Amino acid sequence: MTRSRADYHDVEVVHTQRLTRHMIRVVLTADSLATFGDDLHTDAYVKITFVKPELGLTPPYDLAELRQRLAPDDMPVRRTYTVRWYDQQKRQLAIDFVVHGDEGVAGPWAVAARPGDRLVVSRPGGAYTPSAEADWHLLAGDEAALPAIAAALEAMPDNAVGDAFIEVDSTEDHQELTHPDGVLVHWLHRDGVHAGTSTVLVDTVTKSPWREGRVQVFVHGERGMVKELRNYLKNVRGLSRDQLSVSGYWAYGRTEDRFQAEKREPIGQIPLD
Ligand SMILES: Cc1cc2nc3c(=O)[nH]c(=O)nc-3n(C[C@H](O)[C@H](O)[C@H](O)COP(=O)(O)OP(=O)(O)OC[C@H]3O[C@@H](n4cnc5c(N)ncnc54)[C@H](O)[C@@H]3O)c2cc1C
């Protein structure tokens, strides 16, 4: 019998693990995760809905109905996160949350998360998987993209070659990554400069030697950085749309609600052509 995939999963925290100074892994479980998804892309992501436990709401949430009776501050909040790994047998998935301070919903929630806490996650989306056809791979991103970059590196064949540039604050944010010997991992440090305002990633990628052959690119992270690298890759390196996976994951000074809303305005758009 084929079971259909649920639209959402009412998940519970199994345990949390502080991976590095600014990253916490939260492992989640639900019986319905047995049918979470086959053949996930390496950048698979979910929309997480956060609700205040004291409101006693049960999913699925009827947002229109809730808007009628809840104060704006009590409304469910949605945030987007990468699926770092999924274990169908155990019906578990892991999400690595950047710890970015007291602001926001998801980051502070992860810091305080305890076994038994509940969340609702959507079915997975995603679009990028490293191609075995590429001559080389170029990956670049900040901490928010580190889970997706780590998953991509793990999925590459042993003979893959390329460069992965990862922007973090300091050596305290380095992770042990599994990657082919031919894919060099370059850790870049902001050294105390606020995330989203450093130029270290753009400066390093644009000055790095360019390899021979057809490249497949993955550039995800803070929107301004992604836009600059997209312009370099299109205008200087002449890459075509089908070689590029470029996506803003967050924007400096914006909540995700505002960041998502701005995708309908020029400031929020990252054209591929
Ligand atoms: C497809 C996709 C996959 C993603 N995967 C991951 C992931 O695996 N792990 C992860 O941590 N994030 C990931 N993100 C980014 C994450 O959705 C945003 O960082 C989100 O804004 C965090 O929500 P929040 O409630 O913590 O903060 P918000 O309420 O959205 O924002 C509050 C403040 O914090 C700032 N802020 C938000 N994110 C960061 C950050 N990373 N560093 C510094 N300041 C920040 C905002 O600019 C704002 O000023 C992903 C985004 C997308 C679109």
Side-chain angles (χ1 to χ4, degrees):
M1 186 182 82
T2 312
R3 276 174 299 174
S4 61
R5 290 168 59 193
D7 286 335
Y8 69 90
H9 303 271
D10 187 0
V11 298
E12 181 178 315
V13 174
V14 181
H15 60 84
T16 68
Q17 180 189 0
R18 177 69 79 147
L19 296 178
T20 59
R21 182 157 178 225
H22 293 105
M23 189 79 85
I24 288 183
R25 174 161 299 164
V26 180
V27 176
L28 301 161
T29 190
D31 282 347
S32 65
L33 289 178
T35 57
F36 181 62
D38 302 319
D39 296 330
L40 296 181
H41 286 289
T42 57
D43 70 342
Y45 64 85
V46 287
K47 297 276 178 188
I48 306 178
T49 306
F50 296 85
V51 296
K52 292 185 175 174
E54 61 271 24
L55 296 175
L57 304 178
T58 49
Y61 306 115
D62 180 343
L63 295 184
E65 186 271 325
L66 292 176
R67 234 173 257 122
Q68 303 287 322
R69 64 183 175 90
L70 292 183
D73 277 359
D74 285 341
M75 282 296 289
V77 173
R78 293 185 98 198
R79 295 289 183 259
T80 313
Y81 278 84
T82 303
V83 177
R84 177 63 184 83
W85 54 252
Y86 165 57
D87 185 328
Q88 185 176 33
Q89 290 277 305
K90 290 189 177 167
R91 299 167 186 205
Q92 292 183 349
L93 57 85
I95 294 178
D96 293 352
F97 291 79
V98 175
V99 177
H100 60 82
D102 298 334
E103 283 184 291
V105 176
W109 176 88
V111 173
R114 296 290 173 268
D117 289 353
R118 305 196 76 88
L119 288 176
V120 170
V121 304
S122 69
R123 56 168 68 190
Y128 164 91
T129 297
S131 165
E133 309 298 311
D135 293 318
W136 65 285
H137 297 271
L138 171 62
L139 303 101
D142 54 22
E143 293 96 332
L146 174 50
I149 291 175
L153 292 173
E154 276 171 18
M156 287 180 184
D158 288 345
N159 63 355
V161 295
D163 295 281
F165 297 93
I166 305 168
E167 179 194 308
V168 293
D169 185 56
S170 74
T171 51
E172 291 180 82
D173 300 301
H174 290 199
Q175 295 185 19
E176 283 290 325
L177 300 179
T178 302
H179 60 94
D181 290 344
V183 181
L184 307 181
V185 175
H186 312 267
W187 293 98
L188 311 175
H189 298 162
R190 285 190 302 273
D191 288 325
V193 173
H194 199 292
T197 66
S198 165
T199 60
V200 66
L201 187 58
V202 172
D203 292 346
T204 307
V205 172
T206 54
K207 286 181 189 137
S208 287
W210 195 252
R211 294 173 185 257
E212 292 287 313
R214 187 175 167 82
V215 65
Q216 185 190 16
V217 173
F218 181 86
V219 177
H220 292 211
E222 201 280 331
R223 186 176 67 194
M225 172 278 288
V226 172
K227 277 186 180 181
E228 287 199 45
L229 284 181
R230 175 261 173 219
N231 289 345
Y232 162 73
L233 293 162
K234 291 286 297 183
N235 303 336
V236 178
R237 294 298 174 186
L239 300 189
S240 58
R241 187 190 184 115
D242 62 330
Q243 292 174 275
L244 294 172
S245 173
V246 293
S247 175
Y249 271 8
W250 65 286
Y252 178 68
R254 271 91 169 155
T255 64
E256 183 170 339
D257 313 273
R258 186 157 158 224
F259 164 70
Q260 296 287 357
E262 284 180 350
K263 287 186 176 172
R264 292 186 287 276
E265 300 169 23
I267 190 176
Q269 287 162 9
I270 305 175
L272 279 173
D273 293 318

